[in-house]
Each structure stands twice: as structure tokens, then as C-alpha cells.
Amino acid sequence: MLTITTTEALAEFCEEAKKHPYVTVDTEFLRERTYYSKLCLVQLAMPGTDDSNGCLVDPLVEGISLEPLYDLFRDTSVVKVFHAARQDIEIFQVDAGVIPTPLFDTQVASMVCGFGEQVGYETLVRKIAKQEIDKSSRFTDWSRRPLSDAQAKYALADVTHLRQVYEFLAKKLKDQGRSHWVDEEMKILNNPDTYITLPENAWKRVKIRNNGARFLAIVRELARFREDYAQTKNVPRSRVYKDDALVELASTKPKDHGDLGRSRLLLREARRGDIAEGILKAVKTGLACPESDLPKANRKNERLQVNPALADLLRVLLKAKTSSAGVASKLVAPTSELDAIAAGERDVTALTGWRFEIFGEDALKLCNGEIALAAKGNDVILVPV
């Protein structure tokens, strides 16, 4: 098993990889104690049928540069194949501003090809490659050295079996004329904005019930401070304070350290020092926010006048169309979008691109009374009206 520990060896492998149509990629990382993922291992494999064309790259070795790998990622003649790529790509985007291009995500492709909702890698390997993966090393500290033989074997299997999975799915997509469907989905993963969390927008991720403008202003400032602090110190958000503590603080509006000491949910470390000062300043800023700058809750869904009967019909239509096409329903249209369509909204993803081809067009016809649904045996069929 090839383990690469020098820049020169990595450059040699990557130059060889550029001669092939694709390379499979995976990473092992830690994130429990940091805001940003700590890259611990990179696995690569060129086309082949055994382990000889695969390698493990150790980014923790002093002096090694990953620039040859990033140069491979920039080579548009080689497809970079991942499974569930988002967290892997985030590492490369944050560390080096590089997104592998072109990109192929086998998890997305498997949903397009009818393998279900967000199917796991082990399931695909079992169904396509007819192999079983030893999961005993899944939950391990990948930063410790040396790696055990079991760890190395597990890590390499993440890219060697992926070759067969990719070739199978790519062929199926081509035969079905659906390759462009996956290409559309890759645009999200190829967008650098996908991997950026701006502190000023962090409050939108906090689940709250109180939509009062002043309350939201305090939530916004507390979330902004937490995000900025977590990014700067490279610690998890939850190590600063959790969402439930944030909401409590926005409700109680502490004015001094004594008030912070009475919090039920705030961590002890957050009741003093920089975090405590940041909390008090954020609350003060939220309370002083001018009326014109107060945030507004997203009440779009609250305003929707959903026709429940039409929404139910759309669910039946979605199930019928995706079952017939062999595509995961949630990939085409989540429940929220079905409700939006039933309420008259048309600016939804389900009515664009390849989704329009297999569902959106008929969904609009159903809403406009141009088609009806009928049962024929065990099938649901569309009937022109």
C-alpha cells in the first residue's frame, strides 16, 4: 500500500493521474474540537482493479505541500470523483481556495439513478461492487500516527471501490441521458459561496419561535459574535455557546456579569473573559439597533395560502413520476416546495432544469387543471382533461 509523505512523491503520483480520465478522492479529518476541519489523510486512486493504483497521502508530515494535488484538482481533463463531497471540498476550499473541477458526486448520482435518498457508500459498494467494507475503523482518531493496517485498509477502500461505483453510475447516467442532471447538481458544490458562513448571516440558522424584531436583532448580534469568535479562535460554535443558550440570552437581555451568572444554559467558560464581554456587547448592540436596521423574520411560508388538497395531489404526482423515472423523490422536490407550488409559488427549484423535465411540467399542468390523476391497477396515471 503506497503512503505518500513527500511533495515529490505526491507530484509524481498526480502527474500519472493526469493521464487518466478520472481519479477517485476521499479524505479523513477531525472537526470535533475545531471550527474548521483538520485534514488528516487524503486517499486517491486512478482507474484499476486492485490497490496498486491507489495511495494514501499524509498531510500531517512536516514539510509536505499539497500543491501537486491542487494542481490535479485544477486539471479540467480529469474528473474528480467523490462520495458525499461537500465536507471534503470544504476542506480544500478553506485551506487553498481550490474546488476540484470537473466534479462527480456518487451520492448525488445514485439518487438520480434510483438508489434511494442519500444512500451510503457502503450500500453502493455492496450493491454495485458486490464487496463488503470493514467498518471497524470508521470512528477513529485519524490524526494519530502511525496508522494501523486496519485504518489504512479502510481508508484506501474508500477510493478503490469508488472506481467501480463511479464507472457503473456514469454509464447508467449516459445510457439514460441523465448525465446533465448530475452536472446541474454539481454547480452547487462548485460554488465557493456554498462553503462560506458570513457572521452577519449566522442568525438565520438559529431556530426560534419569537419573531419580534428587537428580539431578532439581539439574536443576530449574538450569532454574529459567536460565529466571528469561533472562526477566529477555530473552535466549534457549541464551545462558545449553544443555540438554546443564545436564545435564552436574547430573551433575558443580560446587562452585566451578574446577569450572565444567572443563566441556566450558558457554559461556565462563557460567563467571563472575552466571551462574556462579547455577549454583553452583542446584547447592547441589538437593543440599540435603529428601527430601520431591525431584521425581519422570513414570513414567506407563513403567508402561503396552501391548498392542502392540491398539495396532496402534488405529492401523489411526485411519487408516481419519480417511481417511474427511478429517482429519489426528495432530490426532485422536498415537501416545502410542494406546498409552495400548491400555494401558487413558481420560483422554486422543482420547476427548473431537469426537475422540470420529469415533474415540474406535469405539476404545473395539474395545478392548471390540464391533467388529472387516476388509478390503474397498482399505478397512478395522468389523464388529460
Side-chain angles (χ1 to χ4, degrees):
M1 187 180 301
L2 176 61
T3 299
I4 291 177
T5 58
T6 67
T7 305
E8 293 74 19
L10 178 60
E12 183 179 347
F13 184 93
C14 291
E15 284 302 313
E16 184 64 27
K18 290 179 182 179
K19 301 176 184 178
H20 297 275
Y22 73 85
V23 60
T24 55
V25 189
D26 190 36
T27 69
E28 305 297 345
F29 56 86
L30 295 180
R31 198 172 191 170
E32 290 80 7
R33 298 183 295 272
T34 58
Y35 181 92
Y36 299 106
S37 297
K38 178 183 179 180
L39 182 62
C40 298
L41 196 68
V42 181
Q43 304 98 283
L44 302 168
M46 295 177 281
T49 57
D50 56 26
D51 293 349
S52 62
N53 280 2
C55 75
L56 305 179
V57 182
D58 191 345
L60 301 183
V61 175
E62 185 176 354
I64 191 171
S65 169
L66 296 183
E67 185 54 36
L69 176 64
Y70 298 145
D71 188 53
L72 173 62
F73 284 171
R74 299 184 190 101
D75 190 328
T76 57
S77 68
V78 183
V79 178
K80 272 61 76 171
V81 181
F82 293 77
H83 181 83
R86 183 166 179 151
Q87 291 190 79
D88 300 311
I89 297 173
E90 181 181 10
I91 295 172
F92 302 128
Q93 169 61 19
V94 170
D95 284 357
V98 175
I99 294 179
T101 307
L103 179 66
F104 188 99
D105 190 327
T106 56
Q107 185 177 74
V108 174
S110 66
M111 288 192 281
V112 170
C113 290
F115 282 88
E117 313 286 350
Q118 296 184 321
V119 63
Y121 177 65
E122 290 84 0
T123 300
L124 285 180
V125 170
R126 185 172 61 254
K127 290 184 175 181
I128 296 174
K130 311 302 181 185
Q131 298 288 330
E132 295 290 338
I133 294 179
D134 180 3
K135 303 177 184 179
S136 61
S137 296
R138 172 183 289 180
F139 302 107
T140 188
D141 184 350
W142 290 101
S143 67
R144 298 186 65 178
R145 294 295 184 270
L147 295 176
S148 68
D149 290 342
Q151 285 177 310
K153 183 178 180 180
Y154 171 87
L156 194 62
D158 280 346
V159 288
T160 53
H161 295 315
L162 188 57
R163 297 174 297 192
Q164 192 170 346
V165 171
Y166 165 67
E167 291 174 3
F168 176 90
L169 292 175
K171 182 179 186 304
K172 188 167 185 178
L173 289 169
K174 183 178 180 181
D175 292 344
Q176 294 176 331
R178 297 180 181 180
S179 297
H180 67 287
W181 294 10
V182 174
D183 291 341
E184 284 185 34
E185 297 305 296
M186 293 302 98
K187 291 179 182 178
I188 298 174
L189 294 175
N190 278 310
N191 185 349
D193 292 342
T194 300
Y195 311 99
I196 298 174
T197 300
L198 298 175
E200 57 266 32
N201 294 330
W203 70 280
K204 297 177 182 179
R205 302 171 54 176
V206 180
K207 294 182 180 180
I208 52 177
R209 294 182 179 179
N210 183 347
N211 288 324
R214 186 62 58 184
F215 173 81
L216 290 178
I218 301 173
V219 169
R220 179 179 64 186
E221 297 307 318
L222 286 168
R224 186 205 302 266
F225 164 71
R226 180 179 66 173
E227 200 73 22
D228 185 64
Y229 186 92
Q231 291 180 357
T232 301
K233 302 293 187 180
N234 194 22
V235 296
R237 296 182 192 93
S238 60
R239 289 276 296 274
V240 187
Y241 41 82
K242 297 181 180 180
D243 281 2
D244 55 358
L246 187 155
V247 173
E248 180 195 46
L249 292 168
S251 299
T252 59
K253 308 176 186 62
K255 295 182 176 61
D256 52 38
H257 289 78
D259 290 341
L260 289 180
R262 287 185 284 273
S263 170
R264 296 182 302 107
L265 301 173
L266 198 61
L267 296 172
R268 182 181 303 174
E269 294 78 6
R271 303 183 187 199
R272 59 181 182 269
D274 292 344
I275 297 179
E277 295 301 326
I279 290 173
L280 295 175
K281 182 179 179 181
V283 171
K284 185 177 180 179
T285 302
L287 288 170
C289 179
E291 293 286 336
S292 58
D293 293 335
L294 291 175
K296 297 179 181 179
N298 184 1
R299 299 183 179 274
K300 180 179 179 181
N301 292 335
E302 296 179 14
R303 294 196 303 268
L304 292 178
Q305 299 298 313
V306 179
N307 181 330
L310 179 55
D312 286 341
L313 287 174
L314 286 168
R315 289 176 176 81
V316 174
L317 175 66
L318 177 65
K319 182 63 176 177
K321 297 291 291 186
T322 54
S323 294
S324 175
V327 184
S329 296
K330 288 184 179 179
L331 182 65
V332 177
T335 299
S336 59
E337 291 198 4
L338 297 179
D339 289 342
I341 296 171
E345 294 287 324
R346 297 296 178 259
D347 185 20
V348 296
T349 304
L351 300 179
T352 63
W354 66 268
R355 292 172 172 84
F356 184 77
E357 295 178 35
I358 68 164
F359 170 72
E361 183 175 11
D362 286 329
L364 292 180
K365 289 181 179 179
L366 182 65
C367 292
N368 295 333
E370 298 174 16
I371 61 172
L373 303 178
K376 186 176 182 181
N378 294 326
D379 299 322
V380 173
I381 63 172
L382 279 58
V383 181
V385 175

